[in-house]
Amino acid sequence: MRLTTRHPMIAAILLGALAATGFAPLGWWPLSLVAVAGLMALAERVKRAGGAFLLGWCFGLGHFTVGNNWIAHAFTYQDAMPHWLGYGAVVALALYLAVYPGLAVLGLYALRKRFPRLLVPDMFAALWIVSEYGRATIFTGFAWDPLGMIWLDTGVDQASRWIGTYGLSGLAVLAAGALLSIARGRWRPVMPLVVILGALATFGHLSLREPEHPTTIAVTIVQPNINQNEKYDQGLEETNFTKLAQLTGAPRPGQPRLIFWPEAAVPAWLDVEPEWRARLSDLLGPQDLLMLGGVKPYFREERKGAVTERTLVGAANSAWVLTADGQIAARYDKAHLVPYGEYLPMRGLLEPLGLSRLVPGDADFWPGPGPRSLPLPVGGEKRPYMGVQICYEMIFSGQVVGGPVRPAFLYNPSNDAWFGAWGPPQHLAQARMRSIEEAMPVIRSTPTGISALIDGRGRLIASIPHHQAGAINALLPRGLPPTLFARFGNILPMIVAALLALTAILLARPHRAR
């Protein structure tokens, strides 16, 4: 108690760090609720606007520093920058991301000044939803681990079919408010919310008991366990390829397969290196398809006398669909690129300072046009369409499916090899939440894990543990009908936020009039 009253900002930092334990890999979600409840209790005692913002900002600083600790590990693979810079990068990113909870607490302070009897949990839940959506969209967005992710595997996560992950974040804030009310001896006002959460959890668990009805489409998902420092080592090129080939296995007569390899699976430019396409097609049966990540280069050609010089000016982070005869059937270019990872903002200013992007190479990646469905030329069932979200793109709720045709599944080639112990399970958790929101199977293939086959309810049909080589051979799960969220997207959590804010204000006004 002394810490919260005499040093509220330190308490807020510690509460923010505690809140991060609710996410994967720890999953201690009750502690996240306790932490948010503590933040609300501190916010109720703030006397000035600056103090309100600083309180939320300190909470965010602790929260994002702990939750995003995996980013520091990525710097150990970039020799162009000192490795210790990774720890500074984690804190620097947290300094920015903390602005969003800071704004939420500031908004709560301002509204409580206007409505002293304001229902704090309802209004704070509304502000939190809006602040998280802002974090996911402003300055290219960083949507990693919104608070609603703590509900994964509780049954409440299935409610994201209707209100999305940001709506689940609002539920988390309401639940934290209920804990605070109960701690103060006020049970009766929060009993309706407790009943609603219990009903959602029960409904969610019951829905997960429904059996899965797979398609007849065979899939093979490969995880070669190739570390980041081995991926671009030319001396290991043959060894790495052999791992991929052996895990892929021999063709199966009469059973076409969809084969999935990770992001940046081979060091090849497939559209300009036919010898690589022939090498890959030798692994396939007559009707097999190979999906893999790679690079699409872009060159500038200059004529100098009798010689034409080509200069690499950019590239796309792509996913390719390769047929058994070595033809490229389709390509998807990653649209949502990672700043400082795949391109260096303000390159002219930052490069002279010694900064570089984390992905090896000098040319920046260029963004693709966005989500779309790729038709797959396979026999058997109705011709399936495949959606693609490369690595980081999978974390953006409501932005993973696009185009006039709804895909049968999402392919998520990723490279989590440089994300330490916390990054891969957090990434997998977010892929599972996308499958629940969209009612769509997800296929993840990564170099070192965690690769997985996920059904349309977010269940892990099969997975390969972190830092293990292996392959998943299974039948593709059948997608479910589009959810409410799949139809309307993030307008739904915004409606939830508006309703919560309106309720808080309307319940405050009669008390004020007395």
Side-chain angles (χ1 to χ4, degrees):
M1 288 297 293
R2 285 184 178 180
L3 182 63
T4 59
T5 54
R6 298 178 62 180
H7 303 286
M9 302 308 165
I10 295 176
I13 292 174
L14 295 176
L15 287 170
L18 184 67
T21 65
F23 301 96
L26 300 179
W28 301 341
W29 61 268
L31 295 184
S32 294
L33 299 183
V34 170
V36 176
L39 175 62
M40 277 190 279
L42 292 174
E44 290 174 346
R45 299 203 294 263
V46 171
K47 303 299 183 184
R48 296 181 180 178
F53 175 80
L54 185 59
L55 184 74
W57 184 86
C58 286
F59 180 91
L61 179 62
H63 178 67
F64 294 116
T65 298
V66 174
N68 295 332
N69 68 79
W70 50 270
I71 293 175
H73 192 75
F75 280 73
T76 63
Y77 297 107
Q78 175 54 282
D79 291 332
M81 293 180 289
H83 296 172
W84 57 260
L85 193 61
Y87 299 100
V90 172
V91 176
L93 180 61
L95 293 175
Y96 161 66
L97 296 176
V99 168
Y100 294 96
L103 291 174
V105 176
L106 176 60
L108 181 65
Y109 169 84
L111 288 164
R112 290 189 73 226
K113 291 284 287 185
R114 177 70 176 84
F115 304 102
R117 301 274 184 169
L118 189 72
L119 199 59
V120 169
D122 290 48
M123 181 55 72
F124 195 46
L127 292 168
W128 196 275
I129 290 172
V130 173
S131 71
E132 284 200 334
Y133 182 72
R135 174 163 70 89
T137 54
I138 297 173
F139 301 131
T140 78
F142 188 79
W144 196 269
D145 275 349
L147 186 61
M149 288 298 306
I150 68 171
W151 294 120
L152 191 65
D153 291 325
T154 66
V156 178
D157 53 358
Q158 300 297 312
S160 64
R161 297 173 176 273
W162 309 309
I163 59 176
T165 304
Y166 304 125
L168 292 186
S169 296
L171 280 181
V173 174
L174 291 176
L179 282 181
L180 185 59
S181 182
I182 291 170
R184 292 169 172 172
R186 297 198 294 266
W187 285 79
R188 186 172 298 178
V190 301
M191 285 310 297
L193 175 63
V194 172
V195 171
I196 290 171
L197 288 173
L200 288 175
T202 301
F203 170 81
H205 284 301
L206 289 176
S207 69
L208 292 175
R209 292 183 179 180
E210 297 182 23
E212 182 58 55
H213 300 288
T215 67
T216 60
I217 300 173
V219 299
T220 295
I221 305 168
V222 174
Q223 178 173 302
N225 195 30
I226 298 172
N227 291 321
Q228 188 65 19
N229 56 346
E230 299 171 332
K231 177 180 289 292
Y232 299 104
D233 188 334
Q234 293 183 353
L236 294 175
E237 182 178 305
E238 189 61 36
T239 300
N240 293 341
F241 182 81
T242 299
K243 287 182 181 180
L244 288 161
Q246 289 177 343
L247 291 168
T248 299
R252 303 171 189 173
Q255 188 180 29
R257 292 183 301 165
L258 301 181
I259 302 165
F260 298 90
W261 284 9
E263 179 185 15
V266 295
W269 295 339
L270 292 183
D271 59 332
V272 296
E273 296 187 78
E275 64 278 7
W276 260 102
R277 297 200 303 271
R279 190 180 189 191
L280 293 168
S281 65
D282 287 342
L283 304 176
L284 308 181
Q287 293 182 295
D288 289 348
L289 292 177
L290 174 62
M291 273 62 68
L292 73 162
V295 173
K296 160 63 181 172
Y298 293 96
F299 299 96
R300 181 179 63 245
E301 294 188 354
E302 293 181 289
R303 187 77 175 176
K304 294 185 177 180
V307 179
T308 300
E309 293 186 355
R310 294 199 310 170
T311 304
L312 181 68
V313 294
N317 187 351
S318 303
W320 308 81
V321 179
L322 192 70
T323 64
D325 59 357
Q327 300 301 308
I328 296 172
R331 188 186 88 238
Y332 168 83
D333 295 337
K334 186 177 182 181
H336 212 133
L337 301 176
V338 183
Y340 303 100
E342 293 167 309
Y343 69 97
L344 185 65
M346 301 178 293
R347 177 175 285 276
L349 175 64
L350 297 180
E351 194 170 39
L353 298 177
L355 295 181
S356 175
R357 62 181 175 88
L358 292 174
V359 177
D362 297 323
D364 284 335
F365 283 90
W366 294 351
R372 60 194 180 99
S373 299
L374 305 179
L376 298 181
V378 296
E381 296 196 357
K382 182 181 178 182
R383 188 181 192 186
Y385 280 75
M386 176 181 73
V388 184
Q389 291 290 286
I390 298 177
C391 199
Y392 170 79
E393 291 185 301
M394 201 62 175
I395 71 173
F396 291 92
S397 174
Q399 300 180 44
V400 298
V401 175
V405 180
R406 176 176 164 85
F409 67 95
L410 287 173
Y411 168 42
N412 180 216
S414 297
N415 181 11
D416 295 351
W418 46 6
F419 289 161
W422 283 40
Q426 289 178 4
H427 205 174
L428 172 65
Q430 289 167 106
R432 292 178 62 195
M433 193 66 83
R434 297 296 84 76
S435 73
I436 299 171
E437 290 174 339
E438 303 290 344
M440 187 177 296
V442 172
I443 292 173
R444 274 180 55 79
S445 179
T446 75
T448 59
I450 304 168
S451 301
L453 178 61
I454 307 166
D455 75 358
R457 292 185 175 88
R459 295 179 293 196
L460 286 175
I461 302 301
S463 64
I464 305 172
H466 199 200
H467 293 308
Q468 289 189 24
I472 297 170
N473 292 288
L475 294 177
L476 178 69
R478 195 177 303 276
L480 302 173
T483 64
L484 193 66
F485 183 81
R487 295 179 183 277
F488 297 101
N490 281 315
I491 189 65
L492 296 175
M494 293 302 108
I495 291 173
V496 171
L499 291 174
L500 287 170
L502 184 62
T503 299
I505 291 173
L506 289 178
L507 291 177
R509 290 177 66 86
H511 292 286
R512 192 168 185 265
R514 293 176 187 174

